[in-house]
Amino acid sequence: MAEERYVRQRTLNPISSYLHKVFLNEKLNNWVGYLLLVFIAVGFGYLVATDFKIGVGILGGVIGLSAIILCITNPEIGLYMNLAYVFMASFLGRLLFNGNFPFGVVTDILVVSTFFGLLIGKYNLKKTTGIFLSRKPVLFFVVILIYLCFQIANPAAHSFQGWIHIIRKVLESILLLFIAYNVFTDHQKIWRFLKVLFGFAVLAGFYGCIQQWHGLFPFEINWVHSDPIRLELIYIWGIYRKFSFFSGPTEFGIIMGACSLLFMILGINQKKPLNKYILIIGSIIMMMGMSYSGTRTANAMLVGGIGLFVLLTINKRSTKIFAFFALMAFLFIMYAPIYSSAAILRFRTSFSGSEDASYNVRERNRAAIQPYIYKHPFGGGLSTTGEMGKKYNPGHALAGFPTDSSYLNKALETGWIGFGLTLVLYFVTLQYAIQGFFKARSNQVKMMFAAIAAFAFSFYIGEIAQEAIGLFVNMVVYFPVVAILIRLKELGIREIKQEVH
């Protein structure tokens, strides 16, 4: 039995099976190995007790090395480790280092390690790469990458570091999409990823609720007050906006809004009562966490995503019931005589339009900067707006300009040409999901297409007011779901061909 298991592992990944055989079966699977592990554990405990920083540093190094090995030996686990890292890294950084932790460097290492594991593993990349690049969402994404690469020659920008910062982020996005596409080869692996994502999202939402009910913990309050800009963004109306495990309330709210939408739609269409209740209750926990974050963008994302889902599936009885209760809940929150809840008041301001002072400021900024967009079809260059502009392109006409909207950011930095390419990419992705919905035969797969369409659309709404997709935390959630979208359509075509033959 053990021999059969070893042969199966070697077929999947030779490096993984070799490490498993040498280190687990031959070296550590005996009393000497068990004793060695005990000594290592005691040694780490002593180091942590005597010198906390050295102990944590060594322990972190061992964990990091183990994580890299796992990413290389098993890309599917590597994908989950990337997910776990982006959910927990900021929290651990606050707890152990008061927020002073190189988040981006570790991110790069994990993604590249997982991609390397894909290259050396038993994956038919020669075949899948061609198919992958032929899919419309991927094809237009690659076109955008090529366009951004040519931005190095943009005469308006003068920072190579600013250019490479954006290129690195886009490359990581494509790598994540490619890794997930090759990992999700069947429905079982797709559902396994969704279960892992659901678990992390519920945990994050619940911790946000704990922060609301209990209050922020001392190490979190110290972290908030250590930066005056951070304090101004988090402490509003005499209340701390909640951020759970993430680096800020905006990231937390956007992730919770998108994930609650995805799993709520999957939940209301489950046939098994237990699965239905688990998904719906988990989604409610995420929505509560989202509301405590005070992120108005997330509120708009949730409402917009629900609207698209209702339009797609309005012929279903369950959708009509869901739409009725969703509308009643929306009207209650908007017009009920409740004025003591900061979460409800914050929700109302998400849809107040011109009555909101910050909205009017943004509109004036957008109107004032439009002439620049018209005069610069290729934009001002990458990393030239906002704080990134101050850092990489000081003195640039756009440096320090508060874009707020991801769309405005793209229009300014990449011009109306780059902005147009982005809109085409989003349109093609939505089109891919909606076509899959109408062509799918299985009701379960059909509802997955509807959920992903609503999920993606919510992010595109979020891009109006924030950088909803560009943040790495959001990328690790968004792009694997897009990979699921592409794979679902392929699996459906494969099933139809099998039925014909």
Side-chain angles (χ1 to χ4, degrees):
M1 194 70 184
E3 186 177 348
E4 289 178 3
R5 186 164 58 250
Y6 169 66
V7 170
R8 187 166 62 250
Q9 289 168 345
R10 186 176 64 181
T11 302
L12 292 173
N13 190 322
I15 294 180
S16 175
S17 59
Y18 173 78
L19 293 173
H20 188 278
K21 176 177 179 291
V22 171
F23 289 100
L24 295 182
N25 291 343
E26 295 182 1
K27 302 298 181 183
L28 296 180
N29 193 19
N30 52 60
W31 70 269
V32 177
Y34 303 149
L35 189 61
L36 177 63
L37 292 175
V38 171
F39 277 124
I40 291 173
V42 172
F44 277 132
Y46 176 76
L47 282 172
V48 172
T50 55
D51 195 316
F52 180 76
K53 289 185 177 180
I54 293 177
V56 170
I58 295 175
L59 181 61
V62 172
I63 293 173
L65 182 61
S66 302
I68 291 172
I69 292 173
L70 281 172
C71 289
I72 293 173
T73 55
N74 192 322
E76 184 179 2
I77 293 179
L79 194 62
Y80 299 149
M81 297 202 70
N82 277 276
L83 191 64
Y85 176 74
V86 298
F87 266 80
M88 302 303 299
S90 295
F91 171 77
L92 294 175
R94 283 192 294 270
L95 180 63
L96 301 175
F97 308 104
N98 194 33
N100 299 317
F101 184 74
F103 181 85
V105 175
V106 179
T107 294
D108 296 342
I109 293 172
L110 287 175
V111 173
V112 172
S113 299
T114 308
F115 178 67
F116 181 68
L118 201 68
L119 293 178
I120 65 174
K122 292 292 183 178
Y123 293 88
N124 190 359
L125 297 184
K126 185 177 181 180
K127 178 182 177 181
T128 59
T129 301
I131 298 172
F132 174 75
L133 293 174
S134 69
R135 304 311 179 200
K136 283 185 179 179
V138 179
L139 181 62
F140 279 97
F141 199 9
V142 172
V143 169
I144 289 175
L145 173 61
I146 295 171
Y147 176 78
L148 294 178
C149 287
F150 281 112
Q151 282 285 331
I152 188 67
N154 191 325
H158 51 264
S159 171
F160 175 77
Q161 286 182 321
W163 175 82
I164 202 69
H165 173 77
I166 301 298
I167 295 298
R168 164 190 154 221
K169 186 187 295 186
V170 177
L171 276 174
E172 283 182 345
S173 302
I174 292 180
L175 288 180
L176 277 170
L177 186 59
F178 184 68
I179 291 166
Y181 174 81
N182 282 277
V183 167
F184 302 148
T185 53
D186 54 52
H187 291 289
Q188 184 180 2
K189 290 179 180 177
I190 288 173
W191 276 108
R192 189 153 60 219
F193 174 81
L194 290 174
K195 288 176 183 177
V196 173
L197 175 60
F198 177 76
F200 278 117
V202 170
L203 188 63
F206 184 66
Y207 188 74
C209 293
I210 291 175
Q211 288 180 323
Q212 175 71 18
W213 303 332
H214 172 273
L216 298 183
F217 292 94
F219 72 92
E220 293 170 328
I221 294 177
N222 293 336
W223 173 76
V224 170
H225 285 264
S226 64
D227 186 333
I229 297 177
R230 184 187 300 137
L231 177 63
E232 185 178 344
L233 291 173
I234 294 178
Y235 192 70
I236 297 177
W237 297 348
I239 298 173
Y240 291 103
R241 296 171 61 192
K242 308 310 179 289
F243 42 83
S244 185
F245 301 134
F246 299 94
S247 61
T250 300
E251 287 184 3
F252 176 46
I254 288 174
I255 288 292
M256 291 298 100
C259 287
S260 63
L261 178 66
L262 176 67
F263 292 112
M264 177 176 59
I265 294 173
L266 292 176
I268 61 177
N269 289 285
Q270 287 289 313
K271 291 183 178 180
K272 295 182 179 179
L274 180 61
N275 293 344
K276 181 188 291 284
Y277 296 145
I278 289 174
L279 287 171
I280 291 177
I281 292 172
S283 298
I284 292 172
I285 292 173
M286 295 177 214
M287 288 182 202
M288 291 172 65
M290 179 199 76
S291 67
Y292 296 146
S293 74
T295 306
R296 292 181 292 186
T297 301
N299 298 328
M301 289 172 62
L302 185 63
V303 172
I306 290 174
L308 179 64
F309 168 70
V310 170
L311 284 175
L312 277 176
T313 62
I314 193 63
N315 62 317
K316 291 175 65 68
R317 181 174 177 271
S318 59
T319 299
K320 293 175 182 177
I321 296 172
F322 169 73
F324 173 77
F325 284 106
L327 179 62
M328 290 299 101
F330 178 79
L331 293 175
F332 176 81
I333 293 172
M334 289 296 295
Y335 301 109
I338 300 174
Y339 306 101
S340 59
S341 172
I344 290 178
L345 295 177
R346 190 80 173 170
F347 184 92
R348 289 171 181 171
T349 60
S350 304
F351 305 96
S352 59
S354 59
E355 296 178 9
D356 181 56
S358 63
Y359 173 83
N360 292 326
V361 170
R362 292 180 183 184
E363 285 299 300
R364 285 195 293 269
N365 287 338
R366 291 169 184 170
I369 205 67
Q370 281 181 5
Y372 186 94
I373 299 173
Y374 299 143
K375 293 178 181 178
H376 296 79
F378 298 102
L382 304 185
S383 299
T384 53
T385 61
E387 294 302 316
M388 300 303 290
K390 289 181 180 179
K391 179 179 179 180
Y392 293 114
N393 291 277
H396 194 284
L398 299 176
F401 180 82
T403 58
D404 296 314
S405 166
S406 178
Y407 293 127
L408 182 58
N409 174 272
K410 289 176 172 62
L412 289 172
E413 294 193 356
T414 65
W416 48 263
I417 295 176
F419 175 57
L421 288 173
T422 300
L423 293 181
V424 171
L425 171 63
Y426 293 169
F427 170 79
V428 165
T429 305
L430 272 181
Q431 181 190 48
Y432 209 82
I434 293 170
Q435 285 179 345
F437 170 79
F438 285 109
K439 290 181 180 179
R441 296 188 176 187
S442 165
N443 184 63
Q444 185 183 45
V445 174
K446 190 180 283 284
M447 288 303 105
M448 285 189 71
F449 274 118
I452 294 173
F455 172 87
F457 185 61
S458 72
F459 269 104
Y460 305 153
I461 290 176
E463 292 272 274
I464 296 173
Q466 301 285 346
E467 190 176 7
I469 297 175
L471 298 173
F472 190 78
V473 175
N474 303 342
M475 285 160 46
V476 174
V477 174
Y478 172 79
F479 286 105
V481 174
V482 173
I484 291 174
L485 166 64
I486 297 171
R487 272 299 190 188
L488 275 179
K489 200 167 184 180
E490 292 179 1
L491 291 171
I493 294 171
R494 191 183 307 167
E495 289 169 1
I496 292 172
K497 288 181 177 179
Q498 287 174 353
E499 288 178 8
V500 172
H501 293 294

